[in-house]
Amino acid sequence: MIKTTYSDAKLSERIVSATLPNGLKIFIAEKPDFKSNFAVFGTKYGSIDTAFSVGDEPYTAVPEGIAHYLEHKLFESEDGDAFTRFSATGASANAFTSFDRTCYLFGCADRFEENLDILLDFVQSPYFTEQTVQKEQGIIGQEIRMYDDSPNWCVLFNMLEAMYENHPVRIDIAGTVESISHITADLLYKCYDTFYNPSNMFVCIAGNVKADELMKRIEKAIKPTAPIVVNRADFSEGTDVKCRYVEKRMEVAKPIFCFGFKEQCEGERTLKERIESGILMDVLAGGISPLYESLTDKGLINDEFDSEYFNGNGYSVVLFQGESDDPQAVCDAISAEIERLKRDGIPQELFEAARKGTYGMAIKGYNNVETIAMNLVDCAMAGFGPFDDLEILRNLKKEDVEARLALINTESSVLSVILPKR
Amino acid sequence: MPQKFNLASGVDGLFIEDSRFNTTLISFNFYVPLRKETYSDYALLPYLLSSCCDECKTFRELNTRLGNLYGATISANAIKLLDFQCISVSLSVLNDRFSIDGKSIVASAAELLASLVFAPSLSDDAFREADVERERAQMLDRIRGEINNKRGYARGRALSLMFGDDPYGLPRFGTEEDLMKVTGESLFSAWSRMLREAYVHINVIGEKLPEGIFSAASAAFSAIHRENVTAFSGYNMPNFAEPTTECERMDVKQGKLVMGFSLGRVDSEKNTSDIMVMSDIFGGGPYSRLFTHVREKLSLCYYCSCTALRSKAIMLVDSGVEAENAEKAQKEILGQLEVMKNGEFSDDQFNSSIRSICDSLKSIGDSQGGINAWYASRVFDGSVATPEDVIETVKKVTREEVMAAAKQVMLHTVYSLMPQEDAK
């Protein structure tokens, strides 16, 4: 096991990483003065991985929502569930599935090593039978219905569905009541054996721990498995959108909108590109921007307004979300501001305020063990170092951000609106 | 250990030295009596104060200043606490050693925070009309937007039903009707009254006390004629409305069921701990009666949990439930309360709960926000207990005390939000 130690000139943080011979990536941040600890055991496997193959095998297509279903089922074992085991230690455990990852996690102050053993064990111990798989359909069906009542969730997925022809980012993470009805124990094992191979997984920890000791503990707990090569179907597509406007009526107080520009994206964005686009969002529509001020003064947006650079493998969207009585006017103003900044350039002082603000927020992240561990998950997923973001931010130029701005095609936009029922 | 300083009449400063954080947190907390007639002014005030000031007249100017102070953040809110409304304006700022250009960050940010609190943007003896209208519109959206989050909306409705005309029953952001009565003048008068009469608690959490922060606050408050300062007159029993059951219909896919319970008297750290353990075994973690029985065993709800609000001696059970299961879920939830009263919870559940509560309490000190919230919510407690003190009390809670706490619990209100009947 070859270990790498990371540090930053300004921060008094020590982070150690290693990759085991079977490919498992480990990142550990030592926070010796903290009482709390946070650990994540995860896999680069999310709702977008709907078709895949191992080695030379033909591609397998699986039902929508299966990654999330698998996450639910993994908590169960033949002799009880993982929550019960964590209950005995006082830890607070959870899990989530997103577009590109599934993470199992816990936070605790006491008995960290015991909790880590439970985490490493249950994630490596699948137990699915047709009967237990069947039983979960009711619970997940209820979860899907709960999200069906969430306007912020619906407005995003309606936009993605209108924006993407084929890419599975367009489907709901939990799937549909219909799609999950096709999930079987065999399919769950197939997905598990493919994506829960250590070569596709990571363990990220932050807390009052000693990295060297933990590395050994993790290595011992990981079952011997040969690394595999997973091929993920390529769903990348051009910047054409299916439909530029979608709407739905729900029980909301005023119209909720999600507006996005689709970008050309093969594979994944680099860390530098993500940071540049993040700063661009602040310059374009953050609290420091002329646009935000003008939209607020006109009463077109409220403090729900937010922007995000939303991206992953094969998808990339410059995205704005909020509430407005006139969503179209907000979108027109955003598009006009993009064209104006393309023409006039980004003012240096605006860029500086955004850069310094982003830098400060990155350093603030080291106040909290959960934030650190989740940031390390990003490192493990995308293959960058823990402090690379700070170095990029220190050296970033306005021209780098302007180059990202130039890539936005204002014709490749989708506006999704949830209108009030009454 | 926190160091407490008296800065002026009814103004205390609390400094918690902690060098583990990269930031310094400074929070001004003002405690005023909870009254319907002043509720909306005070609810709007922190948003107005944190949006601009005489020095930074627009939100954009303020945000640019904050961005250049390395992403310093200002947060503001007003919450109900016991018989008070607590108005907070807080700042979180990066410590000076992280400055790229070597300039001081904390002192500048602290001055900016003081400007927001003491030197707002005014026009004669009123807040400026444009600022008031902008913040009123935002607040109106917050009030109306409560419905967007069905779980939060249902909890809010249950609370309002439990408290009826008591000001604690007012919606979190106040009512539309009262908001419309707010003016630049009424806000000015609320702000002046707050500076004059509120009990003020300034929390500072960071590696060192920013130079001059408390002396500046002391000077600012000493220049104000402080009078009728808000005082704590003991724990009062909540003023409940008549028990009620209400079902609201909406176009939703999943129903929400919220049950409000009264807890009897909650007036000491000891019986607070009994209640904390009782409500946690009942509906806290995944080991709880509600999770293991109502959700996992019977699959009646997607979520089913309970939270105790010690400041008002109540407990809310809320669940996401299919309409056809609502009646059965309600019966099963009450059945589990009987289990608590009869002490039929397992030793594992009892021990898991104690461990889980203690574990969470231990972690509070690892977050500046957690530390601030802890002390801000305990200003009337006399000798302020640290999380470690509470851990010791929780560890001593017995099964019998949990049963005794459960026996005080009475169902008061049932609110449900269900799909339209024709949608079944």
Side-chain angles (χ1 to χ4, degrees):
Chain A
M1 178 171 34
I2 300 165
K3 286 183 267 190
T4 310
T5 302
Y6 299 88
S7 59
D8 180 84
K10 288 266 184 189
L11 282 165
S12 46
E13 304 286 338
R14 181 173 183 261
I15 296 175
V16 183
S17 85
T19 303
L20 298 183
N22 59 22
L24 179 80
K25 294 185 188 71
I26 306 170
F27 281 88
I28 301 174
E30 294 179 345
K31 299 288 281 182
D33 298 327
F34 278 64
K35 287 184 178 152
S36 48
N37 308 283
F38 201 86
V40 185
F41 189 11
T43 166
K44 193 170 181 174
Y45 173 47
S47 65
I48 60 171
D49 297 301
T50 53
F52 55 84
S53 81
V54 175
D56 299 331
E57 281 176 12
Y59 276 82
T60 305
V62 288
E64 295 172 354
I66 193 166
H68 172 255
Y69 208 98
L70 177 47
E71 173 226 303
H72 270 239
K73 293 316 297 173
L74 210 48
F75 274 89
E76 267 176 37
S77 68
E78 203 161 357
D79 48 359
D81 73 76
F83 278 131
T84 312
R85 296 172 70 187
F86 281 116
S87 293
T89 68
S92 165
N94 212 337
F96 69 86
T97 306
S98 69
F99 293 101
D100 61 356
R101 66 195 70 178
T102 310
C103 292
Y104 303 84
L105 45 95
F106 71 84
C108 70
D110 291 331
R111 300 163 76 168
F112 174 76
E113 291 181 348
E114 199 181 327
N115 287 318
L116 181 64
D117 290 345
I118 297 171
L119 177 72
L120 296 173
D121 179 61
F122 92 81
V123 175
Q124 292 187 91
S125 312
Y127 172 71
F128 316 128
T129 66
E130 289 310 335
Q131 200 185 5
T132 62
V133 171
Q134 195 72 32
K135 183 176 177 275
E136 201 68 20
Q137 282 186 10
I139 285 281
I140 296 185
Q142 289 187 40
E143 186 176 355
I144 291 171
R145 276 189 284 281
M146 186 176 76
Y147 280 107
D148 283 345
D149 285 334
S150 164
N152 288 317
W153 188 258
C154 292
V155 78
L156 170 69
F157 279 93
N158 289 353
M159 188 205 74
L160 291 170
E161 203 179 330
M163 186 173 271
Y164 284 91
E165 184 80 43
N166 297 311
H167 197 291
V169 72
R170 66 196 293 280
I171 57 169
D172 193 307
I173 290 165
T176 62
V177 172
E178 200 280 324
S179 75
I180 62 170
S181 70
H182 301 293
I183 293 173
T184 62
D186 282 349
L187 277 173
L188 288 177
Y189 276 115
K190 171 94 186 160
C191 293
Y192 183 87
D193 291 339
T194 304
F195 291 106
Y196 285 70
N197 182 288
S199 58
N200 192 52
M201 300 183 76
F202 45 83
V203 176
C204 299
I205 295 166
N208 188 352
V209 296
K210 291 199 164 54
D212 293 343
E213 288 171 21
L214 277 188
M215 292 276 182
K216 286 183 201 146
R217 194 176 190 97
I218 296 166
E219 188 170 23
K220 207 170 144 197
I222 297 296
K223 293 176 181 169
T225 316
I228 56 170
V229 176
V230 181
N231 309 302
R232 296 162 207 256
D234 179 12
F235 291 107
S236 56
E237 49 184 272
T239 56
D240 289 348
V241 299
K242 269 171 62 188
C243 166
R244 292 196 66 180
Y245 179 79
V246 277
E247 65 173 43
K248 184 185 176 182
R249 286 191 184 269
M250 289 178 78
E251 295 277 7
V252 294
K254 76 191 279 180
I256 292 178
F257 67 90
C258 187
F259 179 55
F261 299 99
K262 186 182 184 186
E263 290 189 333
Q264 183 80 33
C265 181
E266 286 88 23
E268 293 174 19
R269 294 288 186 231
T270 64
L271 178 62
K272 186 162 181 283
E273 288 169 337
R274 291 184 209 183
I275 289 173
E276 288 161 355
S277 287
I279 288 185
L280 174 60
M281 308 303 287
D282 285 346
V283 165
L284 192 59
I288 57 171
S289 69
L291 177 70
Y292 189 97
E293 182 171 55
S294 139
L295 290 173
T296 306
D297 287 349
K298 288 177 188 156
L300 282 170
I301 56 169
N302 58 25
D303 56 12
E304 291 291 312
F305 183 72
D306 205 1
S307 62
E308 181 192 351
Y309 190 53
F310 175 85
N311 65 95
N313 190 6
Y315 63 92
S316 175
V317 186
V318 173
L319 190 150
F320 306 86
Q321 211 161 344
E323 298 176 359
S324 178
D325 289 323
D326 190 351
Q328 189 60 56
V330 178
C331 300
D332 292 345
I334 292 170
S335 297
E337 182 66 357
I338 288 172
E339 296 304 343
R340 188 185 73 82
L341 286 173
K342 278 184 184 175
R343 197 174 58 240
D344 300 348
I346 294 170
Q348 184 66 31
E349 63 278 12
L350 200 54
F351 164 76
E352 273 306 320
R355 182 176 77 104
K356 280 188 173 173
T358 308
Y359 175 80
M361 293 309 281
I363 289 178
K364 266 188 198 182
Y366 288 94
N367 276 352
N368 179 287
V369 293
E370 180 174 347
T371 310
I372 298 169
M374 294 313 295
N375 286 341
L376 292 176
V377 167
D378 284 337
C379 292
M381 289 273 300
F384 48 77
F387 304 110
D388 290 0
D389 55 343
L390 298 180
E391 204 46 38
I392 290 169
L393 281 162
R394 286 180 189 125
N395 297 307
L396 201 67
K397 301 276 176 293
K398 177 173 86 89
E399 292 72 25
D400 301 327
V401 176
E402 284 171 340
R404 302 296 306 163
L405 174 67
L407 296 178
I408 301 176
N409 175 5
T410 48
E411 296 300 307
S412 295
S413 69
V414 174
L415 170 61
S416 159
V417 180
I418 301 292
L419 293 164
K421 279 255 171 195
R422 44 188 168 180
Chain B
M1 276 303 285
Q3 300 170 54
K4 198 167 176 179
F5 304 84
N6 182 251
L7 307 176
S9 165
V11 182
D12 289 320
L14 195 71
F15 173 53
I16 295 145
E17 186 180 347
D18 202 325
S19 58
R20 298 171 306 157
F21 302 112
N22 297 332
T23 48
T24 298
L25 185 139
I26 306 168
S27 178
F28 278 79
N29 303 292
F30 297 88
Y31 300 81
V32 296
L34 178 63
R35 289 190 190 120
K36 182 170 168 27
E37 51 278 21
T38 51
Y39 190 85
S40 285
D41 279 312
Y42 284 134
L44 192 60
L45 193 55
Y47 292 99
L48 192 58
L49 292 178
S50 62
S51 68
C52 57
C53 59
D54 200 37
E55 200 180 324
C56 295
K57 286 214 160 45
T58 67
F59 186 57
R60 190 174 156 222
E61 267 179 64
L62 176 64
N63 272 303
T64 306
R65 274 283 293 278
L66 293 169
N68 283 314
L69 290 166
Y70 295 90
T73 49
I74 298 283
S75 50
N77 67 3
I79 58 163
K80 289 175 265 183
L81 179 76
L82 296 161
D83 301 323
F84 307 98
Q85 211 172 347
C86 173
I87 298 136
S88 303
V89 183
S90 311
L91 162 85
S92 168
V93 58
L94 217 56
N95 290 333
D96 288 341
R97 67 192 153 100
F98 297 107
S99 164
I100 298 176
D101 52 18
K103 285 185 190 160
S104 163
I105 317 170
V106 179
S108 306
E111 279 169 27
L112 181 58
L113 177 67
S115 301
L116 294 172
V117 172
F118 295 109
S121 182
L122 300 172
S123 167
D124 299 324
D125 283 346
F127 279 84
R128 291 189 313 175
E129 194 182 341
D131 295 335
V132 175
E133 289 316 315
R134 182 191 65 237
E135 293 305 320
R136 189 204 308 277
Q138 299 258 6
M139 188 58 105
L140 194 59
D141 283 351
R142 272 181 218 117
I143 294 171
R144 292 178 178 168
E146 290 278 64
I147 200 177
N148 296 354
N149 173 353
K150 306 295 180 286
R151 184 174 182 175
Y153 172 80
R155 288 174 60 94
R157 285 293 302 136
L159 274 179
S160 289
L161 289 172
M162 277 188 95
F163 287 92
D165 290 336
D166 185 278
Y168 200 85
L170 283 166
R172 167 161 83 120
F173 297 118
T175 63
E176 276 190 47
E177 194 190 352
D178 289 342
L179 177 65
M180 290 310 165
K181 293 180 197 152
V182 169
T183 62
E185 287 78 15
S186 71
L187 282 162
F188 178 81
S189 143
W191 171 70
S192 315
R193 194 170 53 242
M194 179 183 90
L195 291 180
R196 208 170 53 237
E197 299 179 7
Y199 169 66
V200 188
H201 203 261
I202 307 168
N203 291 335
V204 180
I205 305 152
E207 60 182 6
K208 59 182 178 193
L209 189 63
E211 207 173 311
I213 184 159
F214 282 161
S215 53
S218 177
F221 281 107
S222 300
I224 297 163
H225 178 63
R226 300 267 298 157
E227 58 184 359
N228 303 325
V229 175
T230 308
F232 179 57
S233 57
Y235 288 90
N236 299 311
M237 284 302 282
N239 203 1
F240 291 126
E242 283 299 304
T244 185
T245 298
E246 185 181 300
C247 177
E248 191 174 352
R249 299 273 171 189
M250 258 188 220
D251 186 10
V252 291
K253 299 251 171 69
Q254 186 185 75
K256 308 287 173 203
L257 169 70
V258 185
M259 298 163 74
F261 298 86
S262 61
L263 293 174
R265 201 155 185 90
V266 185
D267 54 6
S268 70
E269 204 62 71
K270 172 66 193 124
N271 72 5
T272 300
S273 295
D274 297 347
I275 285 165
M276 208 190 291
V277 178
M278 181 276 294
S279 66
D280 191 71
I281 300 173
F282 180 46
Y287 41 78
S288 69
R289 298 300 310 179
L290 295 183
F291 187 88
T292 54
H293 187 80
V294 183
R295 180 193 138 122
E296 290 293 290
K297 188 173 168 203
L298 302 176
S299 296
L300 283 172
C301 310
Y302 176 63
Y303 61 84
C304 186
S305 62
C306 107
T307 41
L309 279 118
R310 92 176 184 129
S311 68
K312 273 292 165 184
I314 58 163
M315 183 169 84
L316 287 185
V317 169
D318 78 322
S319 61
V321 60
E322 305 290 314
E324 61 269 28
N325 291 334
E327 207 178 314
K328 191 168 176 208
Q330 187 176 327
K331 196 170 141 251
E332 292 294 339
I333 290 165
L334 291 174
Q336 291 309 307
L337 184 60
E338 289 306 308
V339 166
M340 296 301 301
K341 290 180 180 177
N342 298 332
E344 290 159 3
F345 47 88
S346 69
D347 284 341
D348 274 352
Q349 284 170 325
F350 177 76
N351 293 326
S352 293
S353 174
I354 302 259
R355 270 193 294 266
S356 167
I357 293 171
C358 292
D359 203 286
S360 304
L361 286 165
K362 272 188 191 168
S363 302
I364 285 175
D366 281 352
S367 138
Q368 284 177 313
I371 298 170
N372 181 43
W374 179 271
Y375 290 108
S377 67
R378 283 172 164 72
V379 293
F380 298 114
D381 280 6
S383 65
V384 177
T386 63
E388 287 71 25
D389 296 333
V390 178
I391 287 173
E392 290 312 310
T393 322
V394 167
K395 278 183 179 167
K396 290 182 192 136
V397 173
T398 64
R399 289 183 63 99
E400 289 67 34
E401 286 164 338
V402 169
M403 286 164 62
K407 283 177 183 157
Q408 300 294 312
V409 177
M410 303 256 292
L411 177 64
H412 185 276
T413 285
V414 179
Y415 168 82
S416 54
L417 173 65
M418 288 293 150
Q420 306 286 5
E421 290 198 87
D422 55 3
K424 275 184 190 173

